[in-house]
Amino acid sequence: MRHRVAILGSGVGARHLAGYRALDDRFEVTCICDSDAAAAKALASEAGHPRVVSEIGEALDAADVDIVDICLPPALHVPVSLNALEAGKHVICEKPVAGSVSDAERVAAAATKSDRLFVPVFQYRYGAGFAALIRLKEDGLLGRPLAGTLETHWDRSNDYYANPWRGRWRSELGGAVLGHAVHIHDLATEIVGPVKQVAAMLGTRVNPIETDDCAAVCLAADDGALLTSSVTLGSAGNMSRLRIVFEHATAESGTSAYEPGQWGWRFTARSRKNQKAIDRAVEGVGKVEGGYAGLFKALGAHLDGRGAAPATAEDGVRSIELASSIYQAARTRQVVTLPLDRELPICRSLLPKEHS
């Protein structure tokens, strides 16, 4: 069965389209929606010329759309998600899924009520490298996670912020912590488990914008593993990397900014006698779809009754809660404990007082 998709937004939507085209036996893009007609038509030309519309409502009401893929500016994510779920569509939503914990929970509740899927775009979870790490973990070859480093070092210049919704609290809802590092933080928590405590310092050091573009974050997992996360949008080139030290081995990802779960992973045994067992397990993983194609493949399988959903609305809530805890820690200059008290103002909005 081919699942029919409407892509809303032709910016990052182009990357999503490439993922669907790699799985054209499972997905058909039937609609492209963008207020920029020329951009929508250009993307449609790559997708076999599906219908092009300029109004979101047209896509949500379409009978030939099963899945709405939201690649819009962040401030539109929650209202469009709620409307799509109410229209009976499954929803895929780019990061960030919301600008507050309360809004993320509203979306999760709407997904439950509508009995539709809400899938945050966490494409870092997919690829041969991350699949190998999961295999090693399941085989008991890694042991307990001890400590690790995360790097989200991207290059975002003034040209990037020429787009009027970027770099502004009201339209982008947050800075690099929310819009860029959210992916590697999700991947890290998939590996070491939920975060219990957070300390952070944030800064705006690269571009003349309202939101943060640099961060230094410390994370303590429930089981005691300690992670540091370095974030900047002033790097020479785009690079995301994760290095986790386990009890019996060290895992280091590749550096692809968009698909670090796929390429270039290294697994090094602490004791040389264990290296052969690690190498055999890694070789046994075989070919795995990475990035967006991997995410969409898992979604298609789930819709067909095979396997778990690639990510859930609850995963989206957790990602926003972690980002909120980072902002809370930086603003209060205190160590923050999770789960967050839902009565805290930060759970209602990430916006600082001067922008609220």
Side-chain angles (χ1 to χ4, degrees), residues 5-11 13-14 16-18 20 28-56 58-59 62 64-65 69 71-72:
V5 181
I7 297 177
L8 311 187
S10 56
H16 288 220
L17 175 60
Y20 293 123
E28 178 186 5
V29 175
T30 57
C31 180
I32 303 286
C33 178
D34 199 300
S35 58
D36 183 335
K41 289 178 181 177
L43 188 60
S45 69
E46 301 177 23
H49 297 282
R51 183 172 67 262
V52 171
V53 301
S54 59
E55 297 295 330
I56 293 172
E58 291 184 64
D64 63 345
V65 170
D69 187 340
C71 301
L72 300 167

Side-chain angles (χ1 to χ4, degrees), residues 90-313:
H90 299 298
V91 174
I92 299 170
C93 187
E94 262 292 349
K95 48 76 179 170
V97 299
S100 69
V101 174
S102 61
D103 275 349
E105 290 180 332
R106 284 174 61 206
V107 172
T112 298
K113 181 179 179 180
S114 65
D115 195 27
R116 300 288 90 182
L117 294 176
F118 179 84
V119 180
V121 176
F122 290 140
Q123 81 275 11
Y124 277 23
R125 298 182 182 186
Y126 292 90
F130 187 62
L133 185 146
I134 297 301
R135 170 71 64 82
L136 293 171
K137 187 176 179 181
E138 291 174 346
D139 289 352
L141 294 170
L142 296 178
R144 296 178 298 118
L146 305 176
T149 58
L150 320 174
E151 295 168 287
T152 304
H153 290 179
W154 289 27
D155 183 6
R156 293 294 181 260
S157 66
N158 284 333
D159 291 343
Y160 177 80
Y161 290 103
N163 191 317
W165 59 262
R166 289 185 173 135
R168 293 170 172 80
W169 280 103
R170 283 185 171 276
S171 51
E172 197 165 15
L173 307 180
V177 164
L178 184 69
H180 294 83
V182 64
H183 283 302
I184 206 159
H185 291 163
D186 171 73
L187 192 63
T189 56
E190 280 289 290
I191 297 169
V192 305
V195 171
K196 177 174 64 176
Q197 290 183 307
V198 175
M201 291 186 287
L202 309 183
T204 304
R205 299 178 51 78
V206 182
N207 291 289
I209 57 176
E210 294 177 357
T211 55
D212 52 283
D213 57 21
C214 291
V217 182
C218 294
L219 308 170
D222 276 356
D223 76 344
L226 301 175
L227 306 177
T228 61
S229 177
S230 172
V231 183
T232 182
L233 301 184
S235 172
N238 298 312
M239 183 269 284
S240 295
R241 180 167 54 196
L242 176 149
R243 189 174 193 269
I244 304 290
V245 176
F246 293 88
E247 188 178 6
H248 305 311
T250 294
E252 184 173 353
S253 77
T255 60
S256 166
Y258 295 100
E259 297 184 10
Q262 181 69 303
W263 312 112
W265 283 66
R266 293 188 299 170
F267 303 96
T268 307
R270 189 176 181 192
S271 173
R272 292 181 63 184
K273 67 181 182 181
N274 295 330
Q275 191 64 51
K276 287 186 178 179
I278 287 175
D279 292 343
R280 283 196 299 269
V282 171
E283 290 169 2
V285 170
K287 183 180 178 181
V288 178
E289 294 283 356
Y292 298 107
L295 178 87
F296 299 153
K297 182 177 180 179
L299 172 60
H302 177 70
L303 290 173
D304 293 339
R306 305 188 312 276
T312 66

